[in-house]
Amino acid sequence: LYTAPDSCEGRCEEPYSEEDECHCNAECERYRNCCEDYYTHCQPEGFSSSWDAITDEDLLRISEQLYKADYNKARPTDVTLNPQYQASPDETGDQEDRSPQPLYKYVNEELFSKPTYASFIKLLDNYQRATGREEDVTAEELREQDNFLKEVMKTELMKKLFAFLYKKNRYGSEEEFIADLKEMWFGLYSRGNGEQDSSGFEHVFSGEVKKGKVSGFHNWIRFYLLEKQGVVNYFSHNFNGPWDTYPEVLGLQFSWDGFYKEVGSAFIGCSPEFEFGLYTLCFIARPGRACHLSLGGYSLSIQTYAWTKSTYGNGKKYIATAYVISP
């Protein structure tokens, strides 16, 4: 029987082989290397019906716990937004600046002296934004990565996330979890012609420019700092979430040194560990699919994608992107 190399049809529970493009055994969820149709052909029997499956109800419960544990988030008085023009769906692509003022009226920069913020901000200038240009990672930059991971792992939010993933048999120890975070987020891969020019962290938080357009760039702190410098110009927003406190969610249009972002969704006012933790949760639990969460009683979905062209460890995948799905 012929089976397609990138499909699980007829391959459920097939033993792992490194020659396979993707995998269909129960371990593939843990290693994030399942074929895209694994859930169609190999469920609900097997992994998802076992005790360590991550169910939709689990995701709603743990996301509320992480939301409540975001003690480092901005208070309502810490951030004042000026959203101005709300673009309709047929206006988001026209690259017209309909908001004369900046998005941020005020940010209390004392926030940035908190350890997770300070260690996060140090990472933002470590990248060449153009894809196709090799990243030169210095010893100091590696120390900054380790320091960021050390600081976020001190927070109750990340401890709760680890405890959840440990209980679900995804990791055997905190050390294993931290080592995997470093690879999945900071491990380099090529979006260009073989140059090690990208990583999940660079794409999602710092932002990249590819083929003349802004790619990734989903972080409010990065946006604020660049808007303050005058290199980011806010154009409009197409979605403003229902929250009356932080973290809030915006879908926005902007240019970065003349490069345009048609819809860049972002959490506003959350701590770095909140975004980092939620995106990690969704990448581990629902890679390549919408990950449905609950934050303060409101529904929200995150989309993640794995980088499919290279792997690390035992066939594990890097993060290609992660972002809030704005309606």
Side-chain angles (χ1 to χ4, degrees):
L1 173 69
Y2 172 75
T3 55
D6 59 352
S7 170
C8 280
E9 189 170 5
R11 290 179 57 204
C12 295
E13 294 309 311
E14 181 181 85
Y16 173 83
S17 166
E18 62 181 31
E19 288 165 14
D20 292 334
E21 286 184 27
C22 56
H23 306 280
C24 305
N25 58 359
E27 284 286 279
C28 75
E29 283 209 336
R30 179 173 184 179
Y31 288 107
R32 301 187 296 279
N33 55 19
C34 302
C35 299
E36 284 192 13
D37 61 2
Y38 170 69
Y39 302 94
T40 304
H41 293 297
C42 306
Q43 303 289 2
E45 301 304 318
F47 197 84
S48 78
S49 59
S50 69
W51 65 272
D52 52 4
I54 297 176
T55 65
D56 289 348
E57 293 71 30
D58 287 333
L59 288 172
L60 297 177
R61 199 160 42 244
I62 184 63
S63 54
E64 282 291 1
Q65 289 175 14
L66 300 182
Y67 180 76
K68 290 186 179 75
D70 190 13
Y71 303 126
N72 284 327
K73 69 183 178 185
R75 296 162 306 191
T77 53
D78 286 332
V79 178
T80 308
L81 293 177
N82 184 16
Q84 300 164 82
Y85 189 81
Q86 180 155 3
S88 62
D90 57 352
E91 290 175 320
T92 60
D94 63 12
Q95 305 194 30
E96 194 171 323
D97 184 359
R98 294 183 168 90
S99 301
Q101 260 80 54
L103 173 62
Y104 288 94
K105 260 188 180 172
Y106 169 74
V107 171
N108 176 9
E109 293 194 10
E110 284 180 21
L111 274 175
F112 300 159
S113 63
K114 293 186 176 193
T116 57
Y117 285 81
S119 58
F120 173 81
I121 289 167
K122 279 202 165 131
L123 293 167
L124 295 174
D125 64 358
N126 289 355
Y127 300 101
Q128 307 246 19
R129 69 179 178 189
T131 58
R133 291 175 67 181
E134 184 101 15
E135 293 294 343
D136 178 24
V137 183
T138 66
E140 184 182 355
E141 288 170 356
L142 288 171
R143 279 195 298 274
E144 288 173 354
Q145 292 171 13
D146 289 335
N147 190 49
F148 172 70
L149 292 171
K150 184 181 84 180
E151 293 299 342
V152 296
M153 287 307 299
K154 290 178 185 173
T155 65
E156 184 179 325
L157 189 152
M158 288 298 287
K159 286 188 184 303
K160 279 185 186 295
L161 175 60
F162 168 69
F164 172 77
L165 295 171
Y166 177 80
K167 187 179 170 190
K168 292 296 183 179
N169 202 28
R170 294 307 193 277
Y171 297 98
S173 68
E174 194 170 298
E175 291 72 27
E176 185 191 345
F177 179 47
I178 294 167
D180 198 37
L181 286 173
K182 185 164 183 178
E183 287 290 350
M184 77 169 82
W185 279 106
F186 295 105
L188 293 172
Y189 50 80
S190 174
R191 287 184 194 263
N193 301 311
E195 308 88 356
Q196 299 293 90
D197 62 349
S198 188
S199 68
F201 186 92
E202 177 185 6
H203 181 86
V204 173
F205 293 105
S206 190
E208 299 180 295
V209 171
K210 185 175 184 182
K211 296 181 179 171
K213 288 186 176 175
V214 176
S215 180
F217 197 144
H218 298 287
N219 179 254
W220 77 273
I221 299 166
R222 173 74 160 161
F223 190 101
Y224 165 75
L225 292 171
L226 290 181
E227 185 178 65
K228 186 180 167 187
Q229 290 172 26
V231 294
V232 157
N233 181 15
Y234 170 72
F235 281 19
S236 56
H237 68 285
N238 62 296
F239 172 73
N240 192 341
W243 292 268
D244 54 10
T245 184
Y246 296 115
E248 168 68 288
V249 175
L250 274 185
L252 56 162
Q253 292 67 52
F254 61 92
S255 77
W256 178 16
D257 269 346
F259 300 105
Y260 189 62
K261 181 75 176 181
E262 188 170 327
V263 178
S265 61
F267 286 108
I268 310 288
C270 65
S271 68
E273 61 266 28
F274 177 80
E275 265 183 295
F276 191 71
L278 275 196
Y279 291 151
T280 299
L281 169 68
C282 286
F283 183 62
I284 290 168
R286 300 287 185 270
R289 293 185 291 154
C291 174
H292 304 302
L293 308 176
S294 179
L295 302 180
Y298 292 105
S299 298
L300 173 133
S301 299
I302 285 172
Q303 179 72 49
T304 65
Y305 288 103
W307 186 252
T308 57
K309 295 176 184 171
S310 55
T311 60
Y312 67 91
N314 190 9
K316 284 191 168 188
K317 300 265 177 71
Y318 300 103
I319 291 175
T321 192
Y323 55 88
V324 181
I325 300 172
S326 56

